[in-house]
Amino acid sequence: MRSLRLKLIVGSLLVLAAVILAFDIFVYAAKRHTLFEVMDGRLYAQTQAVSRYVEIEGEKPALDPAQENAARPPLPVIFRVVGEGGAVLAQSLLSGSVPWLAAGSGGPNPQWRSVGPGRGGTWRVATWTGRLERDAQVVDPSASPGEVSMSVIVQCAEPLASVSKELRELASLLALVSLATFLIAGGGSFWLAGRALRPIRRVNAALETVSETRLDQRLDPFSFDVELHPLITQLNAALDRLERGFQRERQFTADASHELRTPLAAILNSIEVLLRRPRTEEELIDAHLDNERTARSMQAVVEGLLLLARMDAGKGPPAKENVEAAALVEEIFAALGFQARAKNVRLVQAVDPSIRVQAAPSQLRLALANLIDNAVRYNRPDGSVTVEARQEDGATVIEVRDTGPGIPAEHLPRLFERFYRVDPSRAETTGGAGLGLSIVRKIVEGQGGHVSASSGPEGSVFRLVFPINRIKIS
């Protein structure tokens, strides 16, 4: 199981380990460079000291006893002087312990190299190449410059044991300090990670009080660190949406129960009345006709609820097509023609035959049929219903206009809610279930569009907007 606290601890320790390692490497390298720099400076000074002690008598250099006994710094313990041909001209007693570099190997002057292993371990060797003047008593004043001086190579060596020991001690100290730092930092990381996650535990504790019966609980963003403000804001927004959803579900359940309870009670009451005494055939027919109308009303409610439930379940809508708006409106007019003539309402089509709507044909037909049916049902006698379609701002717009009494402005915001009616008393005469506009909105939004309504003294306008080229039409 993944743990955020473990991730924070491991991540911080890995970063700390990298920083400590880099610091240790830097300190070790700087110390090593300093030690070698000091040793190289000392060896170079020794090569110069050896060159001052050497005198050349004839063809062979030798240590000048006068210089050697003078009040000068003593000669280095380990050195040698090599002539032009590579022959060792002078050396100290312990020079045989050093694996000397080959004289005359070229390169910068002076040179420093670490060599080994030899007797006594690894050595640091400094090599200096220079020319020494011959003894003035044996030099011919008319001699050439090459005859009055002689090229020699002076090499001095010093064991690296002291440097290696000091570096080992430094490495041990760095390792000990680094380990202690790492352990202390590990404990600190564990403690800090716990403190960093404490606000999340507070959020969790607050959310544990939220239930379907207590959805009004909210978190105060300002009681948390500023970094958590976006999270708290989103959680509160989610709780708001959840509360509204539960309220809609409760209202929907109550409305559905009411819508179904009333016709069921009417049917049961009719049956009870019929069973009280024998009835004539005419009375039975009238009672059955009343029960049929009531049952059909219930059927409309149930079918509407089933359709909305399928849409709420997120089942994908049918495939979109390029639907001819004019032909679809004519088809709906033909189906509702009898109802319009019965109410003396005129159906007017103002749709350009070139207008196409990208939508599922069956669902677009159902949405338009609901709107036109409502426009006919709630219209005035001798009124009209007009359907217009046009392209506007990259979208196809369909408008259904009626000449009815209009809808009060306070009802417009809730017009598309389930079971909402502007005038509940008219449901018995019109037979509406209060689900038609909810189905229209669900269908249009499922097709990627939106629906709106406006109303005035001269009637209402329902506006459907469908985007163009949202999908690729084959």
Side-chain angles (χ1 to χ4, degrees), residues 38-99:
V38 171
M39 178 175 284
D40 290 345
R42 186 166 58 247
L43 288 173
Y44 175 71
Q46 291 176 358
T47 60
Q48 300 305 300
V50 170
S51 66
R52 289 194 297 270
Y53 279 102
V54 175
E55 67 174 7
I56 301 177
E57 297 179 353
E59 298 296 330
K60 184 178 181 180
L63 295 179
D64 184 358
Q67 296 287 347
E68 188 176 5
N69 296 327
R72 293 186 177 222
L75 287 173
V77 175
I78 303 174
F79 71 91
R80 71 172 187 170
V81 181
V82 182
E84 293 179 339
V88 177
L89 305 178
Q91 63 182 358
S92 62
L93 294 177
L94 299 178
S95 62
S97 303
V98 182

Side-chain angles (χ1 to χ4, degrees), residues 5 40 42 84 97-98 107 128 132 163 165 170 174 188 195 234 250 257 319 335 362 367 373 398 404 426 464:
R5 183 173 191 172
D40 290 345
R42 186 166 58 247
E84 293 179 339
S97 303
V98 182
W128 175 79
L132 299 180
V163 173
K165 180 182 178 182
L170 176 63
L174 289 175
R195 286 188 59 85
Q234 291 299 323
R250 293 192 189 102
S257 300
S362 60
D373 178 71
I398 301 177
R426 297 172 60 184
L464 309 182

Side-chain angles (χ1 to χ4, degrees), residues 426-438:
R426 297 172 60 184
E428 295 181 1
T429 59
T430 61
L435 294 174
L437 293 180
S438 298

Side-chain angles (χ1 to χ4, degrees), residues 99-111:
W100 297 99
L101 293 171
S105 58
N109 188 29
Q111 297 181 42

Side-chain angles (χ1 to χ4, degrees), residues 333 340-341 343-348 376 379 382-386:
F333 278 2
R341 288 191 296 271
K343 291 184 64 71
N344 200 22
V345 173
R346 185 166 51 95
L347 301 178
V348 180
V376 172
N379 216 318
D382 300 323
S384 65
V385 176
T386 304

Side-chain angles (χ1 to χ4, degrees), residues 291-301:
N291 289 339
E292 181 190 19
R293 285 192 295 270
T294 305
R296 290 191 181 280
S297 175
M298 289 179 59
Q299 183 183 28
V301 172

